[in-house]
Amino acid sequence: MCGVCGCGQPDETHEHDHAPAHEHGHAHGHGHHHHDHGEHEHVGPDGKKFVHSHSHAEVVHGGGEIPGLAPARVVSIQKDILGKNNELAAFNRARFARTGAFAVNLMSSPGSGKTTLLTRTLRDLAPRTKMVVVEGDQQTSLDADRIRATGAPAVQINTGKGCHLDAAMVGRALDRLPMPEGIVFIENVGNLVCPAGFDLGEHRKVVVVSVTEGEDKPLKYPDMFAGADLVLINKVDLLPHLAFDLPLLKTNLRKLKPGVKIIELSATTGEGFGPWLQWLLDGAASAKADRR
């Protein structure tokens, strides 16, 4: 269970089935005994590999109070979890620095159009830079399959009941990818709460919010938006059909982070993609120039 947000499974022995089929052509269940972080590489029916991850720690619920557990112990657990994560994030960051890769952590709620935006980005930038993708989802390899169809290498991480990627998961996924002198996209699990608390070693945090979600999203999920280096407002092609206050959304974003960069675009039509692609290329050029 995530010691910060209280998601996932408790730290206890459990049995579960893995749906992906193995190389010998049939699916079967596995019993696992876990008491720490672990990722398992599986081979799907199509022969493609992906990582299935389990994340376990002591049970810590939001609100900081657990019957039978002193508040000081809760804080200690949270600090320990984030401290270990930050150490591993530093390793990831050093790896990006050595190779000159520009790492972007893409975050959003489910249904924001994040994967559609990413696949279009990969196709549009393919002639100009090398790119790889770490894809996070609770289950399935559907998004990774869409990404691989663009020609970009991708590794799928399935978090099970976990609601975010952590630095250890990303590090193991990077071991399975060619590290480009270009861009590494980390598509986080669709969630506006948990991913905000975990450093993955990325250069920039990008939050995608769509015009179908509501202008109050930044106020409801302040940690996510306050930490963003860039906010992409997606699905602007739908604005004529919605009662959506775009200026209010921008006002709410800037209440949390004055001066935050905002780009309006549509992953469907390509409207506004020029500034987004240029932002990525500028970041990649800067990372390459800073290569150690």
Side-chain angles (χ1 to χ4, degrees), residues 10 23 35 61 81 112 135 156 187 212 221 231 246 271:
E23 288 180 318
H35 293 281
H61 299 281
I81 291 169
S112 68
E135 175 63 39
Q156 176 77 50
E187 184 175 358
T212 58
Y221 305 96
V231 175
L246 184 59
E271 177 184 350

PDB file of all heavy atoms in Angstrom, residues 10 23 35 61 81 112 135 156 187 212 221 231 246 271:
ATOM      1  N   PRO A  10      -2.567  -4.012   1.014  1.00  0.00           N
ATOM      2  CA  PRO A  10      -1.849  -4.020   2.281  1.00  0.00           C
ATOM      3  C   PRO A  10      -0.614  -4.890   2.219  1.00  0.00           C
ATOM      4  O   PRO A  10      -0.495  -5.772   1.369  1.00  0.00           O
ATOM      5  CB  PRO A  10      -2.879  -4.578   3.274  1.00  0.00           C
ATOM      6  CG  PRO A  10      -3.810  -5.373   2.429  1.00  0.00           C
ATOM      7  CD  PRO A  10      -3.874  -4.654   1.113  1.00  0.00           C
ATOM      8  N   GLU A  23       4.874 -17.101 -22.813  1.00  0.00           N
ATOM      9  CA  GLU A  23       5.377 -17.443 -24.140  1.00  0.00           C
ATOM     10  C   GLU A  23       4.894 -18.801 -24.620  1.00  0.00           C
ATOM     11  O   GLU A  23       4.811 -19.045 -25.807  1.00  0.00           O
ATOM     12  CB  GLU A  23       6.901 -17.385 -24.125  1.00  0.00           C
ATOM     13  CG  GLU A  23       7.422 -15.941 -24.053  1.00  0.00           C
ATOM     14  CD  GLU A  23       8.931 -15.886 -24.041  1.00  0.00           C
ATOM     15  OE1 GLU A  23       9.539 -16.717 -23.346  1.00  0.00           O
ATOM     16  OE2 GLU A  23       9.494 -15.048 -24.715  1.00  0.00           O
ATOM     17  N   HIS A  35       6.773  -8.378   0.225  1.00  0.00           N
ATOM     18  CA  HIS A  35       6.857  -7.460   1.348  1.00  0.00           C
ATOM     19  C   HIS A  35       7.678  -6.246   0.982  1.00  0.00           C
ATOM     20  O   HIS A  35       8.090  -5.487   1.838  1.00  0.00           O
ATOM     21  CB  HIS A  35       7.459  -8.154   2.570  1.00  0.00           C
ATOM     22  CG  HIS A  35       6.560  -9.220   3.117  1.00  0.00           C
ATOM     23  ND1 HIS A  35       5.467  -8.939   3.911  1.00  0.00           N
ATOM     24  CD2 HIS A  35       6.550 -10.566   2.933  1.00  0.00           C
ATOM     25  CE1 HIS A  35       4.848 -10.068   4.229  1.00  0.00           C
ATOM     26  NE2 HIS A  35       5.474 -11.054   3.642  1.00  0.00           N
ATOM     27  N   HIS A  61      -3.171   5.756   6.010  1.00  0.00           N
ATOM     28  CA  HIS A  61      -4.339   6.355   5.392  1.00  0.00           C
ATOM     29  C   HIS A  61      -4.207   7.866   5.358  1.00  0.00           C
ATOM     30  O   HIS A  61      -3.534   8.457   6.196  1.00  0.00           O
ATOM     31  CB  HIS A  61      -5.607   5.979   6.161  1.00  0.00           C
ATOM     32  CG  HIS A  61      -5.854   4.513   6.202  1.00  0.00           C
ATOM     33  ND1 HIS A  61      -6.403   3.830   5.132  1.00  0.00           N
ATOM     34  CD2 HIS A  61      -5.603   3.577   7.151  1.00  0.00           C
ATOM     35  CE1 HIS A  61      -6.506   2.551   5.440  1.00  0.00           C
ATOM     36  NE2 HIS A  61      -6.022   2.372   6.653  1.00  0.00           N
ATOM     37  N   ILE A  81       9.381   6.409   3.207  1.00  0.00           N
ATOM     38  CA  ILE A  81       8.976   6.034   1.852  1.00  0.00           C
ATOM     39  C   ILE A  81       9.446   7.066   0.836  1.00  0.00           C
ATOM     40  O   ILE A  81      10.045   6.737  -0.186  1.00  0.00           O
ATOM     41  CB  ILE A  81       7.452   5.856   1.781  1.00  0.00           C
ATOM     42  CG1 ILE A  81       7.024   4.620   2.565  1.00  0.00           C
ATOM     43  CG2 ILE A  81       6.976   5.740   0.329  1.00  0.00           C
ATOM     44  CD1 ILE A  81       5.543   4.511   2.780  1.00  0.00           C
ATOM     45  N   SER A 112      -8.332  12.531 -19.876  1.00  0.00           N
ATOM     46  CA  SER A 112      -7.922  13.872 -20.305  1.00  0.00           C
ATOM     47  C   SER A 112      -7.430  13.898 -21.751  1.00  0.00           C
ATOM     48  O   SER A 112      -7.260  14.967 -22.330  1.00  0.00           O
ATOM     49  CB  SER A 112      -6.813  14.395 -19.399  1.00  0.00           C
ATOM     50  OG  SER A 112      -5.625  13.639 -19.608  1.00  0.00           O
ATOM     51  N   GLU A 135       5.382   3.736 -19.855  1.00  0.00           N
ATOM     52  CA  GLU A 135       3.925   3.846 -19.807  1.00  0.00           C
ATOM     53  C   GLU A 135       3.384   3.221 -18.532  1.00  0.00           C
ATOM     54  O   GLU A 135       3.613   2.038 -18.261  1.00  0.00           O
ATOM     55  CB  GLU A 135       3.317   3.146 -21.021  1.00  0.00           C
ATOM     56  CG  GLU A 135       1.810   3.074 -21.038  1.00  0.00           C
ATOM     57  CD  GLU A 135       1.159   4.447 -21.088  1.00  0.00           C
ATOM     58  OE1 GLU A 135       1.682   5.319 -21.805  1.00  0.00           O
ATOM     59  OE2 GLU A 135       0.141   4.635 -20.403  1.00  0.00           O
ATOM     60  N   GLN A 156       5.747  -1.037 -20.704  1.00  0.00           N
ATOM     61  CA  GLN A 156       4.526  -0.903 -19.923  1.00  0.00           C
ATOM     62  C   GLN A 156       4.777  -1.308 -18.475  1.00  0.00           C
ATOM     63  O   GLN A 156       5.346  -2.358 -18.202  1.00  0.00           O
ATOM     64  CB  GLN A 156       3.435  -1.808 -20.502  1.00  0.00           C
ATOM     65  CG  GLN A 156       2.144  -1.822 -19.705  1.00  0.00           C
ATOM     66  CD  GLN A 156       1.313  -0.575 -19.942  1.00  0.00           C
ATOM     67  OE1 GLN A 156       1.072  -0.192 -21.071  1.00  0.00           O
ATOM     68  NE2 GLN A 156       0.880   0.057 -18.853  1.00  0.00           N
ATOM     69  N   GLU A 187       4.603   8.465 -18.951  1.00  0.00           N
ATOM     70  CA  GLU A 187       3.163   8.687 -18.835  1.00  0.00           C
ATOM     71  C   GLU A 187       2.677   8.042 -17.550  1.00  0.00           C
ATOM     72  O   GLU A 187       2.604   6.821 -17.437  1.00  0.00           O
ATOM     73  CB  GLU A 187       2.398   8.127 -20.038  1.00  0.00           C
ATOM     74  CG  GLU A 187       0.920   8.459 -19.952  1.00  0.00           C
ATOM     75  CD  GLU A 187       0.109   8.034 -21.172  1.00  0.00           C
ATOM     76  OE1 GLU A 187       0.694   7.503 -22.132  1.00  0.00           O
ATOM     77  OE2 GLU A 187      -1.120   8.236 -21.147  1.00  0.00           O
ATOM     78  N   THR A 212     -13.265  19.300 -20.763  1.00  0.00           N
ATOM     79  CA  THR A 212     -14.438  18.530 -20.351  1.00  0.00           C
ATOM     80  C   THR A 212     -14.435  18.225 -18.850  1.00  0.00           C
ATOM     81  O   THR A 212     -15.362  17.590 -18.343  1.00  0.00           O
ATOM     82  CB  THR A 212     -14.517  17.205 -21.125  1.00  0.00           C
ATOM     83  OG1 THR A 212     -13.311  16.464 -20.900  1.00  0.00           O
ATOM     84  CG2 THR A 212     -14.680  17.458 -22.612  1.00  0.00           C
ATOM     85  N   TYR A 221      -7.318  19.980  -6.650  1.00  0.00           N
ATOM     86  CA  TYR A 221      -6.089  19.176  -6.608  1.00  0.00           C
ATOM     87  C   TYR A 221      -4.870  20.096  -6.651  1.00  0.00           C
ATOM     88  O   TYR A 221      -4.090  20.068  -7.610  1.00  0.00           O
ATOM     89  CB  TYR A 221      -6.078  18.182  -7.767  1.00  0.00           C
ATOM     90  CG  TYR A 221      -7.309  17.308  -7.805  1.00  0.00           C
ATOM     91  CD1 TYR A 221      -8.398  17.635  -8.616  1.00  0.00           C
ATOM     92  CD2 TYR A 221      -7.409  16.178  -6.999  1.00  0.00           C
ATOM     93  CE1 TYR A 221      -9.540  16.846  -8.634  1.00  0.00           C
ATOM     94  CE2 TYR A 221      -8.544  15.387  -7.007  1.00  0.00           C
ATOM     95  CZ  TYR A 221      -9.610  15.724  -7.828  1.00  0.00           C
ATOM     96  OH  TYR A 221     -10.730  14.949  -7.830  1.00  0.00           O
ATOM     97  N   VAL A 231       1.235  23.423 -18.017  1.00  0.00           N
ATOM     98  CA  VAL A 231      -0.124  22.870 -18.047  1.00  0.00           C
ATOM     99  C   VAL A 231      -0.626  22.914 -19.486  1.00  0.00           C
ATOM    100  O   VAL A 231      -0.617  23.972 -20.128  1.00  0.00           O
ATOM    101  CB  VAL A 231      -1.080  23.657 -17.132  1.00  0.00           C
ATOM    102  CG1 VAL A 231      -2.512  23.128 -17.290  1.00  0.00           C
ATOM    103  CG2 VAL A 231      -0.643  23.561 -15.679  1.00  0.00           C
ATOM    104  N   LEU A 246     -12.924  29.101 -19.948  1.00  0.00           N
ATOM    105  CA  LEU A 246     -11.484  28.945 -20.114  1.00  0.00           C
ATOM    106  C   LEU A 246     -10.685  29.996 -19.337  1.00  0.00           C
ATOM    107  O   LEU A 246      -9.691  29.654 -18.672  1.00  0.00           O
ATOM    108  CB  LEU A 246     -11.122  28.979 -21.599  1.00  0.00           C
ATOM    109  CG  LEU A 246      -9.652  28.734 -21.964  1.00  0.00           C
ATOM    110  CD1 LEU A 246      -9.187  27.384 -21.457  1.00  0.00           C
ATOM    111  CD2 LEU A 246      -9.478  28.824 -23.487  1.00  0.00           C
ATOM    112  N   GLU A 271      -4.466  21.507 -33.307  1.00  0.00           N
ATOM    113  CA  GLU A 271      -4.457  22.928 -32.970  1.00  0.00           C
ATOM    114  C   GLU A 271      -3.570  23.177 -31.753  1.00  0.00           C
ATOM    115  O   GLU A 271      -3.657  22.473 -30.743  1.00  0.00           O
ATOM    116  CB  GLU A 271      -5.883  23.392 -32.660  1.00  0.00           C
ATOM    117  CG  GLU A 271      -5.995  24.839 -32.228  1.00  0.00           C
ATOM    118  CD  GLU A 271      -7.415  25.224 -31.826  1.00  0.00           C
ATOM    119  OE1 GLU A 271      -8.337  24.412 -32.075  1.00  0.00           O
ATOM    120  OE2 GLU A 271      -7.598  26.324 -31.270  1.00  0.00           O
TER     121      GLU A 271
END
